[in-house]
Every structure is written in C-alpha cells, then in structure tokens.
Amino acid sequence: MKTLGVTVIVVLSILSSISYAEDKVEYLGVDYCKTCHMPHYESWHETKMSKAFELLKPGIRRDAKVAANVNPDLDYSKDPKCLVCHTTGYGEPGGFVNLSTTPEMVGVQCEMCHGPGSRYSKMMYKKKGTFKREDFIKEGLTLPTEQNNICTNKCHNDKSPFVRAINNYNFSFEFRKDMGTHRHDLKYIYMDIELF
C-alpha cells in the first residue's frame, strides 16, 4: 500500500509540471500510467517489451546479434538508431534522453503503442471513469491493431537489423500481442484521485 501512495505522489508531481495546452504533447512514462492501470503494468512488466533496453547492452543475446550481423560486444545503449525502438519517446518531449537523465523511460512502455499520455490523460481524470473508448481515441489514444500497423511502422520493420536478418519476415500482430505486450482481458481501474 505504501508503494501506491508514493506512486500517487509521483503522478501528482508529474501532473503539476505538465502543461496541457493542446499543442503540447508529452510522454509521461509508465510510472504515471500504472497509477490507474496497475494490472496492465504488472502484466507488461513481465514481458520482453519492458526489458527491451537490456538488449542493447554488450553480450546480451549474443547468438541473435551475431545472426543479425550485429557486433555482440558493443554497447548500443547510446545509439540513436537503437534507442528509437528500445526506449519510450526517444527524441520527443518527455521521452528518453539518456540513461542518466531519464532512466524511467527505458524499455517499450505503454506510450510507445498508445501514444503520448498527455494527449488523453487529462480527459481521463476529468471524466472520472465515465469515459468510453471513443473518448480516448478522440483525445489521441492509439489502439494498435493489425490494420493500423503501429508495430511495423515504428520498429518491427527493415530498419531493424534483426528483421533484415530474417528471410520473408512477416510481423503477425495477433501472435505478438498474445506473446507479450500486456494482458488484454483486464479493464481500466479508476483510482479516485482529485486533481482538478
């Protein structure tokens, strides 16, 4: 229970520092999201996506790196070509800058697939759990599907040496979703936090 209290304080601190002007879009980070989406966070935290940054370190997944013609002994944790897909919001407002400045933005977090949280979080708090999925979408929430191809547009494409190394690579959204993003049978849990 103490962790929830600390998380709420962190979220309130983040909220107080965010300007919600319509033209300002920022990444907030998974610590912000988990305040109201703890079951999703717990599920995601066990996936490869949450640990994607670790793959950039030397010696990790050596065989896969060699197969993809990537030097397994190099440290890729500062390589912009890799950071785009192994961190959240790299190069964007509120997103990953570097490990010492923004360690909380490592890995493929919620906003990599669902868009920057500042776009829809204010609406969520104002409506206090009475919103519909369509409300989120109007406010900028992205819901990845096979049709909108977010996964391949962002990362699972031939910019990745691992994709290039696989002949006839075909990203299967449904298969990968089932393999590990987060549980999809969980519903949003509204936390009664007064912010406005």
Side-chain angles (χ1 to χ4, degrees), residues 50-58 75-79 83 86-88 90-91 95-107 109:
S50 72
K51 297 160 184 57
F53 187 80
E54 296 301 308
L55 301 175
L56 302 178
K57 296 178 179 177
D75 181 357
Y76 296 95
S77 65
K78 295 178 182 163
D79 186 331
L83 293 173
H86 290 262
T87 65
T88 298
Y90 178 72
F96 182 83
V97 175
N98 58 53
L99 197 52
S100 60
T101 307
T102 53
E104 71 280 2
M105 299 305 283
V106 299
Q109 299 180 15

Side-chain angles (χ1 to χ4, degrees), residues 2-147:
K2 187 175 181 179
T3 303
L4 178 59
V6 171
T7 302
V8 169
I9 290 168
V10 168
V11 170
L12 293 174
S13 173
I14 291 169
L15 281 174
S16 67
S17 68
I18 296 171
S19 166
Y20 286 102
E22 283 188 34
D23 60 342
K24 187 168 184 171
V25 175
E26 285 188 70
Y27 286 84
L28 305 177
V30 71
D31 286 339
Y32 178 87
C33 304
K34 75 180 182 181
T35 304
C36 297
H37 300 277
M38 184 57 83
H40 297 89
Y41 166 80
E42 289 171 345
S43 173
W44 163 84
H45 195 264
E46 299 302 316
T47 68
K48 291 178 182 178
M49 293 175 76
S50 72
K51 297 160 184 57
F53 187 80
E54 296 301 308
L55 301 175
L56 302 178
K57 296 178 179 177
I60 305 296
R61 290 201 60 209
R62 177 174 290 281
D63 293 342
K65 287 178 180 175
V66 168
N69 203 25
V70 173
N71 186 337
D73 299 318
L74 292 181
D75 181 357
Y76 296 95
S77 65
K78 295 178 182 163
D79 186 331
K81 292 181 291 200
C82 301
L83 293 173
V84 168
C85 292
H86 290 262
T87 65
T88 298
Y90 178 72
E92 302 293 331
F96 182 83
V97 175
N98 58 53
L99 197 52
S100 60
T101 307
T102 53
E104 71 280 2
M105 299 305 283
V106 299
V108 179
Q109 299 180 15
C110 316
E111 295 167 292
M112 281 291 283
C113 302
H114 298 295
S118 69
R119 292 158 84 187
Y120 49 85
S121 58
K122 184 176 180 184
M123 179 276 303
M124 179 184 72
Y125 282 107
K126 278 187 172 181
K127 290 200 169 205
K128 299 181 186 247
T130 63
F131 53 81
K132 295 182 174 112
R133 182 175 280 214
E134 296 76 33
D135 296 328
F136 267 137
I137 294 168
K138 285 179 194 169
E139 294 296 328
L141 172 74
T142 304
L143 295 173
T145 65
E146 190 81 52
Q147 291 71 36

